[in-house]
C-alpha cells in the first residue's frame, strides 16, 4: 500500500500491508470519556457509509482492552475507542494512536480531544466518499492496515470568520465548524461586531440588533469602487443560535471565541445608541448627527466616548457574552481606533486629564485595561489585536514600569506582522500569530487578472504552507513557548456569500491546518511537493463536502467577478 494521503501530516505513519473490511456487522466499542467521538462516528460517518456501528455486544472481548479485535454483534470487526494515560504522557491530551490490523481498528487518545482527532484520521483513511451525507450505491468500506502516532504542534489552531461585514447565517457557521473539525482546527473566532454590523442579540440593549444589525446598502468591491449593491444587508444570532453553535462546536472539541470590538470599529453600536458616541462634537444633541450603520469599507472615525456610562453599557454587553460563551477567551478587538473625535471633543479631553492620562491618545489603552480587569475578575482572559500593547509596559521600547501592564492572562493576536507578538511573548504574554502578510485569507491567491475582487497581497498555497508561527527572533528562546498557536483570518468585505468564502479559504486553510498541527521536521521531510501530492486526494474530500475551493489552474468562470474592482497589486512588506 502507498502511504495514505493524510492532511494534516501526522507525526508518524507505518504501513501494515492489508485492509480491514467494515460492514453492517462492524461494532463500535466506546470506552469512558470517548462518548463525543462515538456520537460523531455514528452520525457523520454512519450517514456517509450507511453502517449502523452498534455498540459491541461483549465490549470487544476477543481483543481485550489492549488491541483491536473481533467481537461485534455478529462477529464483525470492532472499532475501539479508548482514553489512555500512557498516550497522554507521551503525546498530550490531543494526541492519539490509531492502529488498524486484521483484528480491528483502535484509537487511543490522551484525552477525549485526542480520540476525536483520531476519528478524523480514520475518516480520511476511508476515502472521499466518507465525507458525503448519504451512502452511494455499490460502495464497500475498508481501512488500510496502518499505525499512526500523532499530536498537534500548537494548542491554538484557529480560524477567524468575520460575520460583521457580510453575515454568515447560523447554518453556515455550523458548516464551518464541521470543516474546521475535518482539518483538526480547534478555535473558531467569530468577529461579531464592527462599523458595518452588530451580529449578536443583547437582550438588555435590543436596538443593537434592531438597528445595528442592518445596513441600507453595501459597496461592491474595494472601498475605491464606485459600485453599490442597493439591497439592505444584515442578520444576527439569537441567544439560542449561539447556544446551538457553542454546543455543536464543543461536541467537536472546538472553542468558540467571540469578538466584541471596543473602542473603535463601533459605528453600528453608535447608530443604535447614539449616546455611546462623542456627542459633544455634534453640538451636544445625542441624536443630532448619529451615524447610520456604515455601508462602506475601511476604518470609521466614529468611536466610543470615554465615559462611565459607556463602560457600564459594555459591561452589560459582556455579561451576556460571558453567559453565552463559556470558553476561557473573549476578544475585545482593541485595534484601529482613530483618535480624531477624542481630540475634537472637550469632554474626551477633560476625561483624559481627569484620569491622569498623557492626552487623549492614551484613552484607547484605558479602555483595553478596563475590560482586561473586568474579564480577569470573572475568570476569563482578554484577547486583543496587537494594538492592545500600545500604552502599556508591554509595548516595544517602553521602560518597565513606565506604563500600566496588561493582566498576566491577556493574549495578543499579532496581525500587523510578528513584532507585536514578539514583544508580548518576551513580556510573558501568550501570543496567537496571525500576520496579515501570511495568513489573511481574504487576500488574493494569485496575481492573475481572473482572481475575484483581488485585494491585499498575493498569498499562494505555497506561501501559506511556508508560514511559521514562531518567528526566527523567538526561535530557540524561552519566549517561543509563549506562541500558543496561530490563526488564519477571513475578513468578508469582498466575501459576500458561502461560495466566495470557500474560494478564499480553500485550499489555503488546509495548508494552514498542517502548519499549526504538524511538526516542522515531518513537514520538512515531505516538503511542499509532498503536500501538493496529498492535496490531490484531499481535494476529492473537499469535493465530497461541497467546498467550492480555488482550483489549482485558477478560478472557474463562475468564481470570477468581472467588473468588480479590487485593489491594485502590491508586494507585501516583510512580516517583521
Amino acid at each position: 500500500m502507498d502511504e495514505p494521503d493524510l492532511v494534516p501530516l501526522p507525526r508518524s505513519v507505518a504501513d501494515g500491508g492489508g485492509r480491514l473490511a467494515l460492514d453492517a456487522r462492524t461494532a463500535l466499542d466506546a470506552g469512558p470519556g470517548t462518548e463525543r467521538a462515538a456520537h460523531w462516528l455514528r452520525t457523520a460517518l454512519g450517514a456517509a457509509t450507511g453502517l449502523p456501528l452498534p455498540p459491541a455486544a461483549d465490549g470487544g472481548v476477543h481483543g481485550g482492552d489492549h488491541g483491536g479485535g473481533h467481537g461485534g454483534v455478529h462477529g464483525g470487526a470492532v472499532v475501539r475507542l479508548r482514553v489512555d494515560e500512557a498516550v497522554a504522557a507521551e503525546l498530550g491530551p490531543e494526541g492519539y494512536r490509531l492502529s488498524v490490523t486484521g483484528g480491528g481498528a483502535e484509537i487511543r487518545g490522551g484525552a477525549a480531544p485526542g480520540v476525536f482527532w483520531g476519528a478524523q484520521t480514520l475518516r480520511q483513511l476511508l476515502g472521499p466518499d466518507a465525507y458525503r451525507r448519504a451512502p452511494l450505491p455499490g460502495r464497500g468500506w475498508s481501512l488500510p492496515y496502518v499505525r499512526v502516532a500523532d499530536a498537534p504542534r500548537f494548542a491554538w489552531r484557529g480560524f477567524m470568520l468575520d460575520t460583521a461585514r457580510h453575515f454568515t447565517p447560523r447554518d453556515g457557521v455550523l458548516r464551518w465548524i464541521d470543516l474546521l473539525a475535518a482539518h483538526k482546527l480547534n478555535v473558531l473566532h467569530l468577529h461579531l461586531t464592527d462599523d458595518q454590523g452588530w451580529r449578536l442579540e443583547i437582550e438588555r440593549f435590543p436596538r443593537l440588533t434592531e438597528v445595528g444589525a442592518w445596513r441600507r446598502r453595501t459597496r461592491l468591491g474595494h472601498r475605491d469602487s464606485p459600485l453599490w449593491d442597493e439591497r439592505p444587508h444584515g442578520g444576527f444570532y439569537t441567544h439560542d443560535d449561539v447556544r446551538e453553535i457553542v454546543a455543536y462546536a464543543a461536541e467537536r472539541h472546538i472553542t468558540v471565541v467571540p469578538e466584541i470590538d471596543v473602542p473603535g470599529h463601533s459605528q453600528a453600536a453608535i447608530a443604535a445608541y447614539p449616546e455611546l458616541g462623542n456627542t459633544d462634537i455634534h453640538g451636544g444633541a445625542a441624536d443630532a448627527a448619529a451615524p447610520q450603520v456604515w455601508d462602506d469599507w475601511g476604518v470609521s472615525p466614529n468611536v466610543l466616548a470615554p465615559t462611565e456610562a459607556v463602560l457600564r453599557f459594555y459591561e452589560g454587553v459582556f455579561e451576556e457574552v460571558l453567559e453565552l460563551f463559556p470558553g476561557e477567551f473573549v476578544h475585545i478587538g482593541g485595534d484601529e481606533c482613530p483618535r480624531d473625535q477624542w481630540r475634537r471633543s472637550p469632554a474626551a479631553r477633560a476625561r483624559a486629564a481627569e484620569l491622569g492620562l498623557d492626552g487623549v491618545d492614551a484613552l484607547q489603552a484605558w479602555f483595553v485595561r478596563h475590560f482586561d480587569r473586568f474579564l480577569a475578575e470573572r475568570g476569563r482572559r482578554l484577547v486583543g489585536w496587537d494594538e492592545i500593547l500600545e500604552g502599556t509596559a508591554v509595548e516595544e521600547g517602553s521602560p518597565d514600569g513606565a506604563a500600566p501592564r496588561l493582566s498576566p492572562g491577556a493574549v495578543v493576536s499579532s496581525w500587523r506582522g510578528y513584532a507585536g507578538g514578539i514583544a508580548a511573548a518576551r513580556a510573558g504574554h501568550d501570543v496567537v500569530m496571525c500576520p496579515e502578510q501570511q495568513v489573511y485569507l481574504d487576500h488574493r491567491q494569485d496575481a492573475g487578472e481572473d482572481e475575484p475582487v483581488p485585494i491585499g497581497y498575493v498569498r499562494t498555497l505555497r506561501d501559506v504552507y511556508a508560514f511559521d508561527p514562531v518567528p526566527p527572533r523567538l526561535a530557540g528562546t524561552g519566549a517561543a513557548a509563549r506562541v500558543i498557536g496561530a490563526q488564519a483570518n477571513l475578513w468578508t468585505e469582498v466575501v459576500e456569500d458561502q461560495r466566495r468564502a470557500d474560494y478564499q479559504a480553500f485550499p489555503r486553510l488546509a495548508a494552514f491546518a498542517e502548519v499549526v498541527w504538524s511538526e516542522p521536521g515531518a513537514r520538512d521531510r515531505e516538503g511542499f511537493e509532498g503536500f501538493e501530492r496529498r492535496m490531490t486526494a484531499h481535494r476529492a474530500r473537499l469535493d465530497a463536502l461541497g467546498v467550492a475551493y480555488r482550483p489549482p489552474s485558477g478560478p472557474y468562470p463562475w468564481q470570477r467577478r468581472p467588473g468588480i474592482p479590487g485593489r491594485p497589486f502590491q508586494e507585501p512588506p516583510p512580516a517583521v
Side-chain angles (χ1 to χ4, degrees):
M1 159 187 111
D2 293 332
E3 187 171 299
D5 293 321
L6 300 175
V7 177
L9 184 67
R11 290 193 179 185
S12 68
V13 181
D15 174 13
R19 298 194 74 88
L20 174 70
L22 306 181
D23 56 30
R25 300 172 301 163
T26 301
L28 185 60
D29 176 15
T34 70
E35 293 83 5
R36 289 181 181 179
H39 177 70
W40 179 83
L41 282 167
R42 288 195 174 101
T43 54
L45 204 58
T49 64
L51 302 180
L53 299 175
D58 57 3
V61 294
H62 294 276
D65 198 40
H66 302 284
H70 293 287
V73 176
H74 301 293
V78 173
V79 177
R80 180 174 289 102
L81 310 179
R82 293 290 185 271
V83 170
D84 190 321
E85 292 182 0
V87 174
E90 179 188 4
L91 298 172
E94 291 193 280
Y96 66 91
R97 287 188 172 276
L98 167 63
S99 64
V100 182
T101 67
E106 181 175 71
I107 300 169
R108 288 183 173 269
V115 177
F116 183 74
W117 303 132
Q120 297 298 321
T121 299
L122 184 143
R123 186 190 200 183
Q124 289 199 15
L125 292 170
L126 283 169
D129 287 342
Y131 288 80
R132 297 186 179 274
R133 296 189 182 185
L136 299 180
R139 296 296 194 273
W141 298 99
S142 66
L143 291 166
Y145 292 174
V146 70
R147 292 188 183 276
V148 178
D150 203 6
R153 181 185 179 192
F154 292 106
W156 185 299
R157 306 181 302 280
F159 172 73
M160 189 222 70
L161 180 63
D162 171 22
T163 69
R165 273 55 175 269
H166 277 97
F167 179 62
T168 299
R170 173 188 52 84
D171 59 336
V173 176
L174 300 179
R175 177 179 180 268
W176 273 111
I177 291 168
D178 281 329
L179 291 173
L180 299 189
H183 292 83
K184 299 186 175 74
L185 297 171
N186 68 343
V187 175
L188 173 60
H189 170 179
L190 287 179
H191 183 70
L192 293 168
T193 73
D194 214 298
D195 301 312
Q196 296 85 1
W198 184 287
R199 306 296 178 213
L200 178 64
E201 176 188 37
I202 301 297
E203 290 179 345
R204 70 191 75 183
F205 302 123
R207 285 177 60 84
L208 285 173
T209 47
E210 291 172 358
V211 173
W214 309 96
R215 62 175 179 264
R216 58 177 181 165
R217 63 177 186 170
T218 299
R219 186 181 291 279
L220 288 174
H222 187 252
R223 56 180 171 266
D224 293 331
S225 166
L227 306 176
W228 294 90
D229 181 346
E230 296 292 345
R231 297 173 298 173
H233 177 83
F236 64 92
Y237 307 110
T238 68
H239 279 203
D240 282 345
D241 290 339
V242 171
R243 294 183 182 106
E244 180 182 2
I245 289 167
V246 169
Y248 194 82
E251 282 287 317
R252 289 148 183 80
H253 299 280
I254 293 171
T255 298
V256 182
V257 176
E259 179 178 351
I260 305 293
D261 278 10
V262 295
H265 287 293
S266 297
Q267 181 163 322
I270 295 168
Y273 291 93
E275 63 270 24
L276 297 174
N278 296 277
T279 58
D280 59 331
I281 65 175
H282 300 303
D287 296 320
Q292 295 182 328
V293 177
W294 211 21
D295 56 14
D296 212 345
W297 310 131
V299 179
S300 167
N302 289 288
V303 301
L304 299 177
T307 67
E308 288 297 316
V310 169
L311 294 183
R312 299 294 88 75
F313 183 97
Y314 272 84
E315 286 172 359
V317 168
F318 280 112
E319 284 171 1
E320 289 195 26
V321 168
L322 297 186
E323 291 173 2
L324 293 169
F325 296 90
E328 182 180 7
F329 303 98
V330 176
H331 208 296
I332 69 155
D335 63 315
E336 295 182 324
C337 180
R339 281 70 174 251
D340 181 65
Q341 286 191 344
W342 291 339
R343 295 188 184 105
R344 293 161 51 206
S345 165
R349 295 196 301 270
R351 180 65 162 159
E354 175 191 339
L355 294 167
L357 302 178
D358 186 19
V360 296
D361 285 1
L363 287 169
Q364 180 175 352
W366 171 77
F367 267 104
V368 169
R369 289 195 302 272
H370 177 86
F371 288 104
D372 184 24
R373 290 191 300 270
F374 177 87
L375 292 170
E377 289 167 358
R378 288 154 180 81
R380 306 296 184 92
R381 298 177 65 183
L382 175 143
V383 189
W385 304 110
D386 53 56
E387 286 95 328
I388 68 172
L389 303 178
E390 296 171 4
T392 75
V394 182
E395 187 176 5
E396 190 100 59
S398 176
D400 189 44
R405 283 191 172 274
L406 296 168
S407 71
V411 179
V412 172
S413 300
S414 191
W415 76 274
R416 294 180 295 178
Y418 286 122
I422 291 169
R426 287 174 173 170
H429 286 280
D430 286 344
V431 174
V432 176
M433 286 293 186
C434 48
E436 66 168 331
Q437 300 90 340
Q438 305 287 349
V439 289
Y440 269 33
L441 299 181
D442 50 313
H443 286 195
R444 68 188 81 199
Q445 302 186 62
D446 188 88
E449 295 181 357
D450 288 336
E451 291 301 308
V453 198
I455 64 169
Y457 316 121
V458 172
R459 274 297 165 253
T460 65
L461 185 65
R462 181 186 289 270
D463 292 329
V464 173
Y465 193 78
F467 168 60
D468 192 334
V470 180
R473 289 164 62 189
L474 289 183
T477 72
R482 286 293 182 178
V483 180
I484 60 174
Q487 186 167 285
N489 296 336
L490 181 56
W491 302 99
T492 61
E493 289 93 334
V494 299
V495 178
E496 71 282 355
D497 57 26
Q498 176 179 295
R499 291 213 312 177
R500 184 80 168 86
D502 283 0
Y503 179 92
Q504 289 302 125
F506 290 101
R508 293 184 297 181
L509 190 61
F512 173 81
E514 186 151 308
V515 165
V516 290
W517 178 277
S518 305
E519 289 293 336
R523 295 176 59 228
D524 290 344
R525 286 192 298 273
E526 281 241 336
F528 179 70
E529 291 70 23
F531 174 74
E532 273 195 313
R533 174 186 57 77
R534 288 182 284 114
M535 277 304 300
T536 300
H538 197 65
R539 287 188 182 93
R541 299 178 190 122
L542 297 177
D543 286 333
L545 285 165
V547 175
Y549 57 84
R550 182 188 189 275
S553 58
Y556 292 122
W558 55 86
Q559 292 174 319
R560 300 169 189 161
R561 295 295 303 281
I564 308 296
R567 188 167 63 190
F569 170 74
Q570 55 184 319
E571 290 290 343
V576 297

